[in-house]
């Protein structure tokens, strides 16, 4: 399998891959798989439909997974959605499927579809599902979840099935979302299925007893000799692309049964094929039989030694295909056939810029390569772009003789910067914004490409190649990056939250990046009226494109508690720039640039604390260490190897990052050392873990059992079970006001059982649910305190939620008698 890091690289497939492409070319049927999040996909079934059935297969993920956690880096929310989008594309690159989305924003966990569809805007998301069906035109739709079971799983899950069930019929109604018919046509899928399994029945035993007369089952563990892999291995490789969700996994082999339940459409009768009664041959389209006669013969007599021997037949089929009136199939099959022709000829066509990014108005040097690796008669007639470049060549491309060309790409002065299209405008909690042309697309289409106009056996054919950047690094080898447009100036503040624990001033750095040479201008820092900034403005003068200049502004907070936002504003001539250029660079996905409004929250916080030195043990990734440093703690991140009595004696408290006991196996062997640290007077704070895949059997020094209990409503009432408890009074008085302004959720995976040694501090619940008291538990152990919390501090700290900082400071300070005495004297 080819890594998506090289997604822009021209294909250099083997003969077996070409043959598989011809098999798919000769199957005229399609499947749309529908679910809510990136990790909901059943890669086994997607891979099976794509590689065994040979159907055109797509996964419609209603969201981009923006509301989850990131196990490999600091990106959350919008940036996490960008990462997961690319990981889905990487998975499709492996299993052969395509990827689609709606405008729905993953706002976090939801317990019921009523809540989900209210926040999402049901009508808009439904329209996007209808549009996906109309444009993709699937014969078969398969839902990942059951539309009949609201409240039994994530509200997003059930909502995805409900919307798909409704859209199945709406897609063929001219009166439904009629404005879409300007860009597509109505469509009626033939059948709708639910991808059921024992999990939906509660147990394997229940599923064995279930009536399966309305189900189809098939073995998805089939082996593909042309790949040297089984379907399950392909599926495992695909799902392992979801690294930010911790989905790297072992490959699977062997026979595996998959079930789909028929929901509606054309009845199945006794046939065991989802495509029963659907014509999936070339005769499906008018004029297709003659094309099929050619291509079926190519498939039957395929020459694995010399695929180029089929080019005469392939070009004849291509010529006939251009006469087909059915625009849907004509467009799809032309794209597939051109790719096969290119592969059979061993054509290598590439356009590389001398930089991976530029600004509007610039001129960029291009290096182009054209190479024919066959004996077929191929001529390069010309190449052109959409911006006025049109160069005649009339060159005969002889076998294995490389031709290189140099040209200049002129970037228009009205060219917009490259960024994910759904982030161009600020959306709502539940919905992103997008123009009609982009809705459903996985990413923003590339603006710059070159059309290579060829004659193959005297038949005109054009291949379009995006402009990319190909380069090498001594320690990496050959690398590819997308070619992107960036603004001439961008500014960022490294920290997104600044906590002022008193009225002392802070120096805050603003970094300006130049998109072109000789950038001149000045920067100001917008700020709330109650705050002061010095100096008011500072000059920028950057000589080289890509270089940065850092400017220091002094920010002075008000005397009393207050919060607001600071925003850098860059002035270049009569133009203003207010966005930050964010780069996402991981080996398993293509390099990404994202433009977002540049701003940071400033909080003058009324906070007291005790203890200075905190040890932090990283888990799945959060910004807790940086957040604690903001309020004056000395935080040192330690590894499991550092956990010993001598090292721990240097600290007042130990904090474990989110899901540390799910991700760090070595902690199982360090638990007693940590408990001994508590017994000697230290405080130990454990943030949320999931009960699934715990690396230790002894999470706490006393009985503690995790559950799936959570409170998803960030506005849910928080009841103080014991208002006089030290945790709610020292050193900060915690009231219900401290739970205002929380974001996305209250907390997750609360314990449901705990020993009598623990004291529950808070009670909360979502609407129509019983009270949950496991969000914050504290127990004295020896001379110190063990605290377990499922409260979502990892979400609240990056948003600068004052109450979250005050409560966490109390958790770190508990048991510090000298502070208690000081507080008593002050009273």
């Amino acid at each position: 399998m080819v890594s998506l890091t090289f997604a822009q690289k021209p294909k250099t497939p083997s003969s077996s891959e070409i043959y598989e492409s011809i098999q798919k070319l000769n199957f005229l049927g399609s499947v749309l798989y529908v679910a809510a999040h990136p990790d909901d996909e059943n890669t086994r079934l997607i891979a099976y439909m794509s590689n065994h059935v040979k159907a055109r297969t797509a996964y419609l993920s209603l969201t981009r997974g923006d509301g989850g956690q990131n196990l490999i880096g600091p990106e959350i929310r919008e940036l996490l959605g960008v990462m997961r989008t690319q990981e889905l594309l990487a998975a499709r690159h492996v299993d052969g499927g395509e990827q689609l989305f709606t405008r729905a924003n993953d706002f976090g966990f939801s317990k019921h579809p009523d809540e989900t569809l209210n926040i999402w805007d049901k009508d808009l998301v439904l329209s996007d599902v209808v549009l996906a069906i109309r444009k993709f035109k699937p014969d078969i739709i398969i839902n990942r979840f059951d539309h009949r079971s609201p409240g039994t799983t994530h509200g997003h899950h059930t909502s995805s099935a409900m919307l798909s069930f409704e859209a199945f019929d709406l897609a063929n109604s001219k009166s439904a979302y009629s404005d879409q018919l300007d860009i597509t046509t109505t469509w009626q899928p033939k059948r709708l299925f639910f991808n059921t399994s024992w999990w939906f029945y509660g147990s394997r035993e229940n599923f064995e007893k279930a009536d399966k007369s309305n189900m189809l089952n098939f073995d998805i563990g089939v082996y593909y000799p042309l790949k040297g892999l089984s379907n399950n291995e392909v599926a495992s490789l695909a799902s392992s692309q979801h690294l930010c969700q911790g989905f790297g996994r072992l490959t699977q082999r062997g026979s595996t049964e998959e079930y789909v339940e028929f929901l509606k459409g054309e009845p199945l009768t006794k046939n065991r094929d989802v495509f029963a009664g659907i014509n999936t041959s070339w005769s499906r389209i008018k004029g297709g039989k003659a094309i099929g006669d050619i291509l079926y013969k190519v498939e039957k007599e395929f020459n694995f030694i010399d695929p180029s021997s089929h080019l005469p037949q392939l070009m004849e089929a291509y010529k006939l295909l251009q006469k087909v009136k059915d625009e849907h199939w004509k467009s799809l099959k032309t794209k597939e056939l051109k790719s096969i022709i290119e592969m059979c000829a061993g054509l290598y066509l590439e356009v590389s810029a001398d930089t991976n990014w530029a600004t509007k108005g610039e001129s960029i040097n291009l290096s182009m390569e054209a190479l024919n690796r066959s004996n077929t008669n191929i001529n390069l007639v010309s190449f052109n772009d959409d911006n006025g470049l049109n160069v005649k060549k009339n060159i005969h491309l002889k076998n294995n003789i490389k031709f290189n060309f140099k040209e200049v790409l002129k970037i228009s002065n009205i060219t917009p910067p490259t960024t994910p299209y759904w982030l161009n405008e600020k959306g709502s909690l539940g919905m992103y914004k997008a123009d009609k042309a982009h809705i459903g697309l996985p990413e923003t289409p590339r603006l710059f490409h070159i059309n290579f106009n060829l004659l193959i056996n005297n038949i005109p054919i054009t291949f379009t190649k995006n402009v990319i950047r190909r380069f090498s690094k001594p320690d990496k080898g050959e690398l590819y990056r997308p070619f992107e447009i960036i603004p001439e100036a961008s500014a960022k503040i490294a920290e997104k939250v600044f906590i002022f624990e008193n009225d002392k001033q802070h120096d805050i750095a603003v970094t300006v990046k130049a998109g072109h040479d000789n950038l001149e201008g000045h920067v100001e820092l917008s700020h709330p009226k109650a705050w002061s900034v010095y100096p008011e403005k500072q000059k920028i003068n950057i000589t080289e494109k890509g270089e940065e200049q850092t400017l220091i502004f002094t920010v002075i907070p008000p005397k009393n508690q207050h919060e607001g936002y600071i925003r850098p504003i860059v002035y270049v001539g009569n133009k203003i720039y207010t966005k930050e250029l964010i780069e996402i660079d991981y080996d398993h996905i293509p390099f990404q640039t994202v433009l977002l409004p540049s701003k940071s929250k400033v909080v003058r916080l009324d906070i007291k604390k005790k203890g200075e030195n905190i040890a932090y043990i990283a888990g799945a990734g959060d910004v807790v260490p940086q957040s604690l440093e903001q309020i004056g703690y000395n935080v040192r991140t330690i590894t499991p190897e550092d956990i010993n009595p001598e090292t721990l004696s240097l600290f007042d408290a130990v904090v474990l990052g989110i899901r540390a006991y799910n991700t760090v196996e070595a902690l199982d062997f360090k638990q007693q050392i940590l408990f001994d640290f508590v017994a000697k007077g230290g405080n130990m704070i454990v943030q949320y873990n999931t009960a699934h895949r715990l690396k230790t059997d002894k999470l706490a020094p006393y009985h503690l059992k995790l559950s799936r209990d959570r409170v998803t409503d960030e506005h849910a009432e928080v009841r103080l079970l014991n208002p006089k408890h030290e945790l709610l009074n020292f050193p900060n008085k915690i009231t219900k006001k401290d739970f205002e302004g929380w974001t996305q959720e209250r907390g997750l995976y609360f314990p449901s059982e705990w020993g009598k040694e623990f004291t529950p501090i808070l009670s909360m619940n979502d609407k129509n649910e019983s009270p949950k008291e496991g969000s914050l538990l504290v127990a004295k152990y020896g001379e110190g305190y063990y605290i377990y919390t499922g409260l979502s501090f990892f979400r609240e700290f990056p948003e600068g939620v004052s109450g979250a900082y005050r409560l966490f400071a109390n958790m770190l300070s508990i048991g510090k008698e000298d502070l208690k005495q000081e507080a008593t004297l002050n009273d």
Side-chain angles (χ1 to χ4, degrees), residues 407-424:
E407 287 295 337
V408 175
L409 174 66
K410 296 181 180 179
I411 312 296
S412 166
N413 283 317
I414 60 172
T415 305
T418 307
T419 196
Y421 69 84
W422 62 95
L423 300 180
N424 273 325

Side-chain angles (χ1 to χ4, degrees), residues 205-239:
E205 292 74 20
N206 289 343
F207 190 56
E208 286 294 325
K209 301 172 186 175
D211 178 9
K212 298 184 179 63
S213 59
N214 208 30
M215 297 183 193
L216 297 181
N217 68 296
F218 26 84
D219 183 1
I220 59 166
V222 294
Y223 178 66
Y224 304 127
L226 291 171
K227 296 180 183 296
L229 295 168
S230 68
N231 186 74
N232 286 339
E233 289 173 298
V234 173
S236 297
L237 290 169
S239 61

Side-chain angles (χ1 to χ4, degrees), residues 36-40 61-70 74-88 101-109 120 154 156 244-245 420-423 427-433 442 584 594 596 743-745 794-795 799:
H37 309 110
D39 62 342
D40 294 337
S61 177
L62 268 58
T63 76
R64 297 175 186 267
D66 327 69
Q69 285 91 52
N70 184 354
E75 296 84 1
I76 58 173
R77 292 302 304 149
E78 296 94 341
L79 298 180
L80 181 60
V82 173
M83 285 181 63
R84 291 188 172 180
T85 294
Q86 293 299 322
E87 289 183 339
L88 272 175
F101 292 97
T102 74
R103 288 170 288 177
N105 187 350
D106 178 5
F107 56 84
F109 193 87
W120 271 357
H154 196 322
H156 296 183
C244 74
Q245 296 187 250
Y421 69 84
W422 62 95
L423 300 180
S428 65
L429 174 64
M431 298 297 298
Y432 284 120
K433 291 184 179 180
I584 302 177
V594 183
L596 290 176
T743 182
Q744 187 159 328
E745 61 196 348
F794 70 102
R795 295 201 188 282
E799 297 297 326

Side-chain angles (χ1 to χ4, degrees), residues 176-215:
Y177 308 110
S178 56
D179 59 310
Q180 297 178 359
L181 301 182
D182 295 337
I183 58 173
T184 187
T185 59
T186 58
W187 180 254
Q188 181 58 63
K190 294 296 190 296
R191 296 189 181 98
L192 176 66
F193 293 92
F194 159 45
N195 183 196
T196 190
S197 70
W198 68 265
W199 188 87
F200 293 96
Y201 286 77
S203 69
R204 296 183 187 277
E205 292 74 20
N206 289 343
F207 190 56
E208 286 294 325
K209 301 172 186 175
D211 178 9
K212 298 184 179 63
S213 59
N214 208 30
M215 297 183 193

Side-chain angles (χ1 to χ4, degrees), residues 292-304:
D293 289 342
I294 297 171
L295 295 177
Y296 291 134
K297 185 177 181 183
V298 171
E299 179 182 345
K300 183 178 180 181
E301 301 174 356
F302 185 71
N303 186 342
F304 285 87

Side-chain angles (χ1 to χ4, degrees), residues 715-777:
H715 305 295
E717 180 189 4
V718 177
R719 297 173 291 277
L720 309 182
L721 293 175
N722 187 350
K724 295 183 179 181
H725 193 279
E726 180 179 353
L727 205 56
L728 297 176
N729 289 278
F730 300 100
N732 304 290
K733 179 70 175 178
I734 302 299
T735 67
K736 289 188 176 184
K737 185 176 177 60
D738 288 291
F739 295 93
E740 294 176 2
W742 283 52
T743 182
Q744 187 159 328
E745 61 196 348
R746 288 295 189 195
L748 62 170
Y749 298 107
F750 299 160
S752 57
E753 295 179 15
W754 49 86
K756 62 180 179 7
E757 298 86 356
F758 280 104
T759 299
I761 303 299
L762 307 172
S763 175
M764 59 188 73
N765 56 273
D766 282 322
K767 186 178 180 181
N768 299 324
E769 290 194 359
S770 61
K772 306 294 186 292
E773 298 184 352
S775 65
L776 181 58
L777 302 172

